[in-house]
Amino acid sequence: MRRAVCPGSFDPVTHGHLDIFERAAGLFDEVVVAVGTNVSKTKLFTPDERIEMLREATSGFDNVRVDGFSGLLTDYCRKESIQAIIKGLRGGGDFEYEVQMAQMNSHLTGVETVFLPTSTTYAFVSSSLVKEVASLGGNIEGLLPDFVRERLLKRLAERASA
Ligand code: PNS
């Protein structure tokens, strides 16, 4: 069984993430989407909320499951018998950041990282930018699943009125 992990914060999941999951699912027998739950006060959604949205968004993929992890990603890979870490790259900026993590993870346990270039359709999409645009009233339609967009707009409205 060739098993890979797509790790991330997914705050929240976008069509860019889903594109990577779908393509990874075509390359591996099983893909685990793993939400990093190390404590962070800066996230808009809780780990459980992010996992719930990911489960709904990936329900159509037979060989994709969603999980949470804390601690080192390499420890999670060892525990779950995962051979590869999948990372989507939008461009050179992502590469600079990701290659160092890939080298550290390889150093720690020898786990391989596989980089997939994001599709050009979603190369400009990130959860952070989507949140910023939405919070300033911009149109984020088509960048993330509709039900996630609705939850995002609701959460931003709650935050604004708090
Ligand atoms: O979507 P993000 O925020 O870029 O995801 C980052 C994530 C969760 C993949 C990364 O921070 C991570 O792997 N965290 C687990 C802790 C860890 O293993 N740190 C050492 C990385 S070399």
Side-chain angles (χ1 to χ4, degrees):
M1 160 85 76
R2 308 295 297 170
R3 187 178 287 129
V5 65
C6 291
S9 302
F10 309 114
D11 187 47
V13 59
T14 69
H15 280 316
H17 297 131
L18 291 168
D19 170 60
I20 295 292
F21 303 160
E22 184 171 12
R23 286 159 57 209
L27 296 173
F28 289 85
D29 298 317
E30 185 180 50
V31 170
V32 184
V33 175
V35 179
T37 62
N38 289 337
V39 180
S40 162
K41 289 182 187 155
T42 59
K43 300 286 181 271
L44 195 57
F45 293 98
T46 67
D48 283 348
E49 288 172 331
R50 287 180 266 147
I51 289 171
E52 185 194 320
M53 286 188 276
L54 279 162
R55 290 214 169 113
E56 186 168 341
T58 59
S59 60
F61 302 141
D62 288 345
N63 61 337
V64 175
R65 66 181 167 90
V66 182
D67 196 9
F69 78 100
S70 58
L72 281 176
L73 178 61
T74 47
D75 288 342
Y76 179 77
C77 290
R78 201 155 26 195
K79 183 168 76 72
E80 297 289 323
S81 304
I82 286 168
Q83 294 95 359
I85 298 168
I86 309 271
K87 290 291 184 85
L89 293 185
R90 284 165 296 209
D94 280 353
F95 180 77
E96 289 289 322
Y97 174 64
E98 294 293 347
V99 77
Q100 194 180 5
M101 285 209 284
Q103 288 162 337
M104 177 60 84
N105 287 330
S106 169
H107 167 78
L108 289 171
T109 57
V111 67
E112 297 287 3
T113 296
V114 176
F115 291 129
L116 289 181
T118 54
S119 87
T120 49
T121 316
Y122 301 117
F124 61 96
V125 178
S126 70
S127 300
S128 320
L129 263 188
V130 165
K131 284 184 285 191
E132 182 178 333
V133 169
S135 70
L136 296 171
N139 182 7
I140 55 165
E141 235 167 279
L143 304 182
L144 62 181
D146 286 345
F147 81 93
V148 178
R149 179 170 50 88
E150 279 160 25
R151 285 187 68 162
L152 173 56
L153 294 175
K154 186 164 173 265
R155 178 59 49 87
L156 289 171
E158 286 163 4
R159 287 282 169 99
S161 64

